[in-house]
Amino acid sequence: MEDTLESEIFSFNEEGIEKIQLGDFKNFPIVYILYKKNSNKQIAYIGQTVHAKRRMQEHYKNSSRKQLEKILIVGHKKFNQSATYNIETNLINYFIADGKFSLQNKSQTASNRVHDYYQKSYYNNEIFQELWSVLKEEQLVNDDIEILKNKDVFKLSPYKELSEEQLELKERIINICGKHINDHTKFVYFVEGDAGTGKSVVLSSTFNTLQDFATEKGSTFYKSKNYLLINHSEMKKTYEKISESLPNLKKKNFLKPTSFINKIDKGSIEEADIVFVDEAHLLLSKEDNYNNFSYENQLDEIIKRSKVTVVVYDSKQVLKIKSYWNEEKIKQIKNNYQSDTFELTTQFRIQADDEIIDWMDAFVNKKILPIPEIKNTNDSSFELKFFSDAEEMYQAIQQKSKEVGLSRIVSTFDYIHKKDGEDYFIEEGTFRLPWNRTGYKDTWAEHKDTINEVGSIYTIQGFDLNYVGVILGPSISYDEKTDRLKIDTSKYKDTEAFRKRADLELHEFEKVKEEIILNSINVLMKRGVHGLYMYASDEKLNKRLNGLIV
């Protein structure tokens, strides 16, 4: 075997398997893809092994695997088992994002644990790029790696490597679900964490594993009825897209909270065993006829209809008064049921030093701090920049999108928008773009035309961008005397967000309105992986931000 990547295709039958022994791949770490293409349903299985022939013989005895037709064997003189494990997992992630094949892989076949090994970056980059070129030549994949990296299904793949903290959470959730699935009392597990701490990634990975266990006889979770609830339409599209590539994820198991509650009430689905609730800060905490919710509190109603409820929550991302939870209500739920809490603390989205994250956190608490030095080390590379002109920021974001992809403009909800199908525009000087379009089949940021639009909290919450340009609208001003942000709730145009509720006193109501605007700023600012650009509509704030030295 030469010191380069080598690949060979065999027929997946007894004769083809015998031929593997004659090549250079015997008793050597290899990666393989079993596949069937040129049919209505293209199917593949991805794996790695040190005993290629023996492993293929095992697969050939599997009734599901036996329907596959070809084996692609990939080897390299420098392969070791750490590398092949890593490449196997990466292949699964990229195949899910590419979407050409439906995979037969179950989650137990790949380790989600992050670990380093000698020359890991070499295998992840040079070797994997070479491998991907082979796959493109064989027409086993459609898109380039750089395109797939920016897809939300890639970032939320159940096979993404997990940090030690994330893996600990996954193991705790599985253990808790196994312990309490047959209890006569309800159990609620709260998962807390700031934007970008990887809450949804853990949920995606854990739910996929549970759904795999649900198909295995002898498992605690065998035939369990489990659901993942998503109140965010854009995020629901991503989960549904992932389900098209994996064997035990079904679209019917991804529901909106109200649909879940109403389906159980109507008898179209039975009481659930385990329910995961992503973005639980979007749950309704009061009756809402518009959303066909006739109870007082969505979380209470979800808990009543499931044995174990896993709740992912971030109080800094509550965006509507009808979803507002005060600390007293959270304590009440924790006291009413058996419960426990886990907090994720490590920031994964924003590739910046802690000082930059601290600056953002201070800003959403109305403090304007000096800009810390941006070190741009090997571990972090982040650009924080302010613009006095919105058009100039738009041009800069367009340029970044050409260079690295997936860069977009977003804005606070300070501009008129009506749900009548018409286009509405943000106009700031010479800058004029349509905003908050929501009618796309794919997620908003991934649609190529949205580089010429402005997104809102409702199109971008929960998703990553490489660079984000944030327009702070007229409701966000600046008090020169206190050197702090000044929030004018009367200028905020999201009327649905401020719909009154009887259980809030007037003084609390005004406080919550300001909190919601600050939460929206927090959501928007923390979308960018590599950079945050900001423009303030308010003249005083614009001047103050552009006076900061970066």
Side-chain angles (χ1 to χ4, degrees):
M1 190 184 296
E2 296 180 8
D3 193 13
T4 58
L5 195 73
E6 292 190 26
S7 64
E8 191 170 350
I9 294 177
F10 302 90
S11 294
F12 186 48
N13 53 35
E14 292 180 354
E15 182 180 350
I17 293 171
E18 282 299 319
K19 287 181 179 179
I20 295 174
Q21 188 175 7
L22 304 177
D24 292 321
F25 305 113
K26 183 181 179 182
N27 299 328
F28 203 87
I30 56 98
V31 177
Y32 62 88
I33 301 174
L34 294 166
Y35 63 91
K36 177 182 181 181
K37 62 178 183 177
N38 302 324
S39 63
N40 292 332
K41 188 177 182 182
Q42 302 196 94
I43 308 169
Y45 179 92
I46 296 168
Q48 65 81 41
T49 183
V50 293
H51 301 293
K53 180 180 175 181
R54 183 194 307 169
R55 185 67 177 131
M56 294 309 113
Q57 289 171 335
E58 291 171 354
H59 280 310
Y60 198 65
K61 294 175 183 178
N62 182 296
S63 58
S64 296
R65 218 80 73 234
K66 198 167 184 176
Q67 64 179 299
L68 305 180
E69 298 174 344
K70 298 288 184 179
I71 318 163
L72 172 68
I73 302 283
V74 180
H76 195 287
K77 186 177 180 179
K78 292 184 177 179
F79 270 179
N80 57 68
Q81 198 152 24
S82 290
T84 54
Y85 270 125
N86 193 185
I87 291 170
E88 172 198 30
T89 304
N90 284 342
L91 278 173
I92 294 171
N93 284 322
Y94 280 104
F95 263 65
I96 289 171
D98 189 66
K100 184 167 184 173
F101 284 89
S102 175
L103 298 180
Q104 292 187 341
N105 290 77
K106 291 187 177 183
S107 56
Q108 300 94 298
T109 62
S111 172
N112 292 103
R113 186 183 298 273
V114 170
H115 68 277
D116 287 323
Y117 56 89
Y118 182 62
Q119 291 188 321
K120 182 177 181 179
S121 62
Y122 166 72
Y123 291 101
N124 272 343
N125 298 312
E126 294 180 41
I127 293 291
F128 194 81
Q129 186 70 59
E130 189 178 347
L131 170 56
W132 200 257
S133 296
V134 171
L135 299 179
K136 290 204 76 174
E137 288 176 10
E138 298 295 340
Q139 298 183 330
L140 294 178
V141 294
N142 293 321
D143 287 325
D144 293 334
I145 287 175
E146 292 307 314
I147 293 174
L148 298 175
K149 278 182 180 178
N150 285 325
K151 287 193 173 184
D152 293 315
V153 289
F154 176 77
K155 296 171 184 175
L156 206 60
S157 166
Y159 285 83
K160 296 293 285 186
E161 287 186 338
L162 302 179
S163 69
E164 289 295 329
E165 182 185 48
Q166 290 173 320
L167 191 62
E168 179 187 354
L169 173 57
K170 177 177 179 176
E171 291 171 349
R172 284 197 186 189
I173 291 173
I174 292 173
N175 289 337
I176 282 170
C177 289
K179 183 178 179 181
H180 297 284
I181 193 171
N182 295 315
D183 285 359
H184 296 294
T185 56
K186 311 291 186 182
F187 193 94
V188 187
Y189 195 60
F190 286 88
V191 178
E192 299 175 357
D194 200 358
T197 52
K199 302 183 295 296
S200 294
V201 172
V202 179
L203 221 56
S204 176
S205 175
T206 310
F207 189 73
N208 183 58
T209 297
L210 286 176
Q211 292 303 87
D212 285 345
F213 286 153
T215 66
E216 296 183 359
K217 291 182 179 180
S219 167
T220 304
F221 304 104
Y222 182 54
K223 290 188 176 181
S224 57
K225 300 176 289 294
N226 312 316
Y227 297 89
L228 200 163
L229 308 186
I230 316 105
N231 213 358
H232 191 311
S233 297
E234 297 294 302
M235 185 69 81
K236 187 169 180 284
K237 292 176 187 176
T238 301
Y239 280 117
E240 289 175 341
K241 190 69 175 176
I242 291 171
S243 73
E244 295 174 4
S245 296
L246 292 172
N248 297 318
L249 294 182
K250 311 298 180 187
K251 288 186 179 180
K252 67 180 182 180
N253 295 107
F254 299 98
L255 296 171
K256 287 198 169 185
T258 300
S259 296
F260 169 77
I261 293 166
N262 292 340
K263 281 178 180 290
I264 286 185
D265 288 355
K266 293 175 182 177
S268 57
I269 61 174
E270 300 177 38
E271 178 189 19
D273 292 304
I274 302 163
V275 173
F276 288 11
V277 186
D278 199 4
E279 309 273 10
H281 37 266
L282 302 178
L283 289 175
L284 296 169
S285 53
K286 67 182 292 293
E287 182 180 356
D288 186 2
N289 292 329
Y290 178 80
N291 285 293
N292 297 316
F293 179 65
S294 57
Y295 298 94
E296 288 300 316
N297 184 288
Q298 279 191 326
L299 182 54
D300 273 335
E301 300 306 320
I302 292 166
I303 293 169
K304 290 174 185 176
R305 290 161 177 79
S306 55
K307 296 176 181 176
V308 181
T309 310
V310 179
V311 181
V312 172
Y313 180 76
D314 178 8
S315 62
K316 294 179 182 178
Q317 294 192 61
V318 174
L319 301 174
K320 293 184 178 181
I321 285 179
K322 65 183 180 184
S323 301
Y324 175 72
W325 297 75
N326 57 31
E327 289 300 316
E328 191 59 38
K329 183 60 181 175
I330 295 292
K331 288 179 182 177
Q332 181 183 336
I333 290 175
K334 290 181 178 180
N335 290 334
N336 287 347
Y337 303 99
Q338 294 185 82
S339 68
D340 203 351
T341 303
F342 189 101
E343 183 178 6
L344 288 167
T345 59
T346 305
Q347 173 63 239
F348 290 100
R349 175 183 296 132
I350 304 170
Q351 300 299 301
D353 296 311
D354 291 341
E355 292 83 355
I356 296 295
I357 309 296
D358 293 342
W359 187 91
M360 294 182 189
D361 290 338
F363 190 84
V364 297
N365 282 306
K366 302 197 292 186
K367 301 174 184 176
I368 302 177
L369 300 180
I371 300 299
E373 180 184 353
I374 298 178
K375 301 171 186 176
N376 287 350
T377 63
N378 291 332
D379 297 324
S380 65
S381 177
F382 195 83
E383 185 179 6
L384 177 61
K385 190 173 182 180
F386 305 103
F387 291 80
S388 58
D389 182 85
E391 179 65 24
E392 184 184 347
M393 183 172 77
Y394 169 50
Q395 298 298 330
I397 287 292
Q398 281 191 311
Q399 183 59 37
K400 285 298 181 184
S401 195
K402 290 176 183 176
E403 293 174 2
V404 298
L406 204 64
S407 301
R408 295 292 186 269
I409 298 277
V410 296
S411 172
T412 53
F413 219 110
D414 287 297
Y415 302 89
I416 294 175
H417 173 82
K418 298 177 183 178
K419 294 183 178 180
D420 55 8
E422 298 292 327
D423 272 337
Y424 291 87
F425 293 82
I426 290 181
E427 298 185 52
E428 291 287 342
T430 60
F431 175 86
R432 186 179 188 270
L433 285 182
W435 97 285
N436 198 35
R437 285 178 174 170
T438 57
Y440 295 112
K441 182 180 179 181
D442 299 324
T443 53
W444 178 83
E446 289 185 2
H447 199 283
K448 61 183 178 60
D449 293 340
T450 57
I451 185 61
N452 298 313
E453 299 178 16
V454 182
S456 76
I457 44 177
Y458 302 118
T459 56
I460 205 65
Q461 185 175 30
F463 295 105
D464 294 357
L465 295 168
N466 286 323
Y467 283 78
V468 61
V470 177
I471 296 175
L472 300 173
S475 70
I476 300 99
S477 183
Y478 172 65
D479 188 327
E480 295 169 305
K481 293 181 180 179
T482 61
D483 191 27
R484 292 169 63 87
L485 294 187
K486 182 180 179 181
I487 306 300
D488 186 345
T489 59
S490 68
K491 294 181 178 179
Y492 200 63
K493 301 298 183 184
D494 190 357
T495 53
E496 181 65 22
F498 288 169
R499 193 176 295 278
K500 290 185 178 180
R501 48 189 286 180
D503 61 328
L504 291 179
E505 299 290 340
L506 181 61
H507 71 280
E508 188 179 9
F509 183 68
E510 289 302 317
K511 175 179 173 290
V512 174
K513 285 166 68 174
E514 180 175 296
E515 189 177 318
I516 282 172
I517 294 176
L518 292 169
N519 284 351
S520 74
I521 299 171
N522 180 60
V523 169
L524 297 178
M525 288 176 62
K526 292 181 178 177
R527 296 305 101 195
V529 174
H530 300 297
L532 167 63
Y533 294 169
M534 296 178 70
Y535 161 82
S537 172
D538 179 80
E539 186 177 340
K540 292 180 181 178
L541 181 57
N542 191 310
K543 183 178 179 181
R544 178 69 176 94
L545 291 178
N546 281 279
L548 294 171
I549 298 175
V550 181

